[in-house]
Amino acid sequence: MGMTMTQKILAAHAGLESVVAGQLIEADLDLVLGNDITSPVAIHEMEKMKVDGVFHKDKIALVPDHFVPNKDIKSAEHCKCVREFALKNEITNYFEVGEMGIEHALLPEKGLTVAGDVIIGADSHTCTYGALGAFSTGVGSTDMAAGMATGKAWFKVPAAIKFNLVGKPSEWVSGKDVILHIIGMIGVDGALYKSMEFVGEGIQHLTMDDRFTIANMAIEAGGKNGIFPVDQLAIDYMKEHSKRSFTIYEADEDAEYEEEYTIDLSALRPTIAFPHLPENTKTIDDITEEIKVDQVVIGSCTNGRLDDLRCAAKVLEGRHVKKGLRCIIIPATQAIYLQAMEEGLIKTFIQAGAVVSTPTCGPCLGGYMGILAENERCVSTTNRNFVGRMGHITSEIYLASPAVAAASAVAGVISCPERL
Amino acid sequence: MKKATGRVFKYGDNVDTDVIIPARYLNSSDPAELATHCMEDIDKEFVKKVSKGDIMVANKNFGCGSSREHAPIAIKAAGIDCVIAETFARIFYRNSINIGLPIIECPEAAKEIEDGDQVEVDFDSGIIKNLSKNKEYQGQAFPAFMQKIIACEGLVNYINQK
């Protein structure tokens, strides 16, 4: 029986000629990732293991990004624990404040994730690297500890769902709208335990940043991973950013998919997920009432990349954030921040009345840098709108693209660039 | 631990890790401290009422969202001995096994068991007994290697023993 892209990568890393869905395997890891929330727990667990240090100092990435620069004493202690562990174990890819960025934007940019890799990360959005044709998935701290110690992890080989993307999206439709549309269609557990494999001629119209956004939110449909075929655009990206060699895996023609969907990108409209689940989607055309907004956040591992900032700047150029609304913009890495500065995007944001922050996950998970008060509403380019996710349990999060978020910041109500 | 018997705390679909343990408390990784905030955003009474050995039951996609291991850690430290659900989100599933919190998928039991019921779970056989309603269900028993991890109270001890 044929294999999917994901199954081929897993087979190769388990030293097997073929695998089938449901099979339990042990695979070699190319990279093990952790952040300042999950790594301290993993480090503590690893200390209990009878091992001498880490399996490979170049194949571990430690990125303090959630609560940095440290928001309080306890966060500072966590970061100190990660820093000391990195130093002691001579971890090559430890990124201190000043060079760090949001992990899932930073690692591809640093060339640490390439096609054909098997990557685990103690962060659920580790699935992002599927955009480059890697198998990458989120795990918890104990799996991270075992991965750091042994360089291996056990997996149940996933079945797959195929998403055949066709057509070309219209101007204000981005990767975020594609993935919100898909989650709205299949639900927050629609891909539970499965691979989401994105294929089709429509992919050529998606930028790398679009693809990172789509793969990033596979977890919001319950997916084990999201993955794209490797085309010239992905090859160019890897050659620009990485010195590592990569392996391209293609799905067999007779690969088995449990479900198949065809999505016409040209028919998609700007899509918004209403509280309190990413599956509660509506298109902008379905929104006829005025939904007043108190805060807008543009950033995160989902939408803090250069395409996202360029799009937001295009909307905010020559306009101003609505009086009384807070617009918080967070470039995901230092390199993105610098490039945005050179292109004049940061100037546009500040002139429009937005605030620009150093890279951090802060507001996305209700950590700091934009917590919501009782009954407040936020349009956010982040990935989750669960109860209390960004602050008070009565606050509301509307997930959207940078275009919709920026337009809503100007209008003061949920809007899109066409309506301004 | 072969069996769990206790009072049931029942929840619905898509209970996410942000409500199991809100991120505002993730500046700590101390199990006892995390336990004091477990479930508070959807059930303020939980930590007041829960006692050692109790059981949590929920519908589909329990534990969806972030990879924080703090979620099963908080549930376990609060005193819960077993979680039964129609389905679990996959990272939560792995994390629970890895820290030695027994969890069982059983759609029938998850749908029918109600808040406050007394329930007994046998981990070897996967049999779930609702003592309050005198009903029995066959849950999915763990594969052998997962049983070993749980018997070792988690992946770390399991690796140490290998």
Side-chain angles (χ1 to χ4, degrees):
Chain A
M1 194 200 301
M3 291 189 284
T4 64
M5 281 182 271
T6 297
Q7 290 164 354
K8 280 192 175 174
I9 297 172
L10 287 175
H13 283 73
L16 300 169
E17 261 182 37
S18 69
V19 294
V20 292
Q23 189 175 344
L24 288 165
I25 58 155
E26 192 172 56
D28 291 325
L29 303 172
D30 296 296
L31 190 70
V32 179
L33 160 73
N35 58 51
D36 52 317
I37 304 278
T38 56
S39 300
V41 179
I43 290 165
H44 184 65
E45 290 301 311
M46 207 182 130
E47 279 164 0
K48 292 191 224 158
M49 292 178 192
K50 295 163 191 158
V51 290
D52 299 321
V54 300
F55 84 106
H56 198 305
K57 66 185 179 65
D58 299 336
K59 292 188 178 183
I60 290 165
L62 297 174
V63 189
D65 59 357
H66 278 55
F67 295 163
V68 298
N70 306 136
K71 77 176 181 106
D72 54 24
I73 294 169
K74 285 179 175 174
S75 320
E77 296 292 345
H78 275 175
C79 287
K80 191 175 165 193
C81 161
V82 178
R83 184 179 302 114
E84 287 174 355
F85 176 85
L87 213 67
K88 186 178 144 202
N89 290 281
E90 298 174 331
I91 303 295
T92 317
N93 298 301
Y94 165 70
F95 298 96
E96 189 53 85
V97 170
E99 54 189 2
M100 57 66 69
I102 295 176
E103 49 198 326
H104 309 307
L106 185 72
L107 298 195
E109 182 188 289
K110 295 285 182 190
L112 297 174
T113 60
V114 296
D117 279 353
V118 169
I119 300 163
I120 62 166
D123 187 280
S124 59
H125 293 107
T126 301
C127 48
T128 308
Y129 319 122
L132 291 168
F135 170 82
S136 60
T137 192
V139 295
S141 296
T142 302
D143 274 320
M144 179 192 169
M148 287 198 296
T150 66
K152 291 175 190 295
W154 66 266
F155 298 103
K156 189 153 119 181
V157 176
I161 304 179
K162 186 197 267 190
F163 297 89
N164 188 27
L165 310 182
V166 300
K168 187 181 177 182
S170 58
E171 187 188 1
W172 297 109
V173 170
S174 68
K176 185 61 164 285
D177 302 292
V178 176
I179 191 64
L180 286 177
H181 172 79
I182 288 173
I183 297 165
M185 188 171 69
I186 68 171
V188 292
D189 63 347
L192 195 57
Y193 306 127
K194 293 174 193 168
S195 297
M196 299 171 76
E197 304 218 343
F198 303 98
V199 300
E201 53 86 13
I203 287 173
Q204 65 181 308
H205 305 298
L206 298 172
T207 65
M208 277 318 300
D209 287 358
D210 282 326
R211 299 177 198 185
F212 284 124
T213 302
I214 292 170
N216 172 275
M217 284 188 74
I219 180 68
E220 297 339 315
K224 183 167 196 150
N225 68 315
I227 193 164
F228 281 82
V230 181
D231 63 3
Q232 195 56 47
L233 189 70
I235 291 170
D236 292 344
Y237 180 95
M238 289 187 282
K239 283 188 174 161
E240 186 190 337
H241 292 272
S242 187
K243 291 190 185 92
R244 293 184 51 213
S245 61
F246 52 86
T247 312
I248 298 171
Y249 292 91
E250 287 173 7
D252 289 324
E253 276 187 14
D254 60 343
E256 200 179 350
Y257 297 93
E258 288 199 346
E259 290 166 82
E260 292 194 28
Y261 297 93
T262 295
I263 292 151
D264 181 1
L265 301 179
S266 71
L268 295 188
R269 294 285 296 146
T271 301
I272 296 106
F274 278 49
H276 291 283
L277 281 177
E279 70 184 24
N280 295 337
T281 55
K282 292 184 184 186
T283 70
I284 191 74
D285 308 319
D286 297 330
I287 303 172
T288 45
E289 75 274 38
E290 286 210 334
I291 302 171
K292 193 181 160 291
V293 178
D294 302 290
Q295 178 173 294
V296 165
V297 171
I298 299 171
S300 82
C301 62
T302 309
N303 279 125
R305 298 182 183 81
L306 212 48
D307 275 2
D308 304 315
L309 301 185
R310 284 177 183 147
C311 175
K314 201 168 160 188
V315 176
L316 292 172
E317 175 83 58
R319 296 192 171 104
H320 204 277
V321 168
K322 183 83 173 178
K323 182 83 177 163
L325 183 147
R326 299 97 64 184
C327 181
I328 302 161
I329 301 180
I330 310 177
T333 69
Q334 292 287 75
I336 293 169
Y337 201 153
L338 198 57
Q339 182 65 24
M341 216 149 74
E342 282 172 6
E343 290 182 21
L345 311 180
I346 304 292
K347 189 176 174 188
T348 301
F349 297 148
I350 292 173
Q351 284 175 339
V355 69
V356 182
S357 158
T358 173
T360 177
C361 306
C364 171
L365 74 164
Y368 72 126
M369 283 301 285
I371 305 297
L372 300 173
E374 198 171 352
N375 296 321
E376 283 192 330
R377 281 203 195 104
C378 180
V379 174
S380 184
T381 68
T382 56
N383 42 57
R384 292 189 177 127
N385 54 355
F386 300 148
V387 170
R389 170 81 176 175
M390 290 179 80
H392 196 278
I393 56 169
T394 60
S395 62
E396 293 184 345
I397 306 159
Y398 295 75
L399 303 176
S401 68
V404 166
S408 303
V410 172
V413 295
I414 294 181
S415 189
C416 72
E418 296 162 8
R419 290 189 183 178
L420 293 180
Chain B
M1 192 166 53
K2 295 284 181 201
K3 266 187 186 176
T5 312
R7 174 216 197 271
V8 164
F9 289 85
K10 178 74 189 278
Y11 300 100
D13 288 338
N14 303 314
V15 172
D16 61 78
T17 56
D18 276 277
V19 296
I20 295 172
I21 182 71
R24 59 184 177 275
Y25 302 119
L26 295 186
N27 55 6
S28 169
S29 50
D30 173 35
E33 191 179 337
L34 294 170
T36 63
H37 299 293
C38 189
M39 310 302 282
E40 73 174 32
D41 279 2
I42 54 164
D43 182 4
K44 288 213 181 330
E45 299 301 306
F46 172 75
V47 288
K48 292 180 203 157
K49 288 186 184 164
V50 69
S51 48
K52 178 70 193 132
D54 283 345
I55 289 168
M56 197 177 272
V57 181
N59 297 115
K60 63 180 184 131
N61 204 26
F62 186 87
C64 63
S66 103
S67 70
R68 62 191 70 158
E69 204 158 291
H70 312 64
I73 289 173
I75 291 173
K76 192 182 177 192
I80 293 290
D81 270 357
C82 179
V83 186
I84 302 166
E86 285 180 47
T87 53
F88 290 94
R90 58 159 288 276
I91 304 177
F92 183 89
Y93 192 89
R94 281 186 84 100
N95 286 348
S96 299
I97 290 163
N98 285 343
I99 66 153
L101 170 69
I103 58 174
I104 293 194
E105 289 193 336
C106 183
E108 251 196 314
K111 278 184 190 132
E112 292 182 10
I113 293 172
E114 292 178 307
D115 194 71
D117 285 353
Q118 281 289 320
V119 164
E120 181 186 281
V121 186
D122 184 310
F123 301 127
D124 290 338
S125 64
I127 289 172
I128 299 163
K129 285 183 189 161
N130 187 339
L131 305 173
S132 304
K133 299 208 167 68
N134 204 15
K135 240 189 137 174
E136 199 172 292
Y137 308 92
Q138 179 64 58
Q140 197 183 42
F142 291 118
F145 89 101
M146 285 189 188
Q147 283 209 30
K148 277 185 207 154
I149 295 175
I150 286 182
C152 294
E153 294 248 322
L155 186 66
V156 172
N157 295 334
Y158 174 71
I159 287 177
N160 284 343
Q161 283 186 17
K162 263 211 297 194

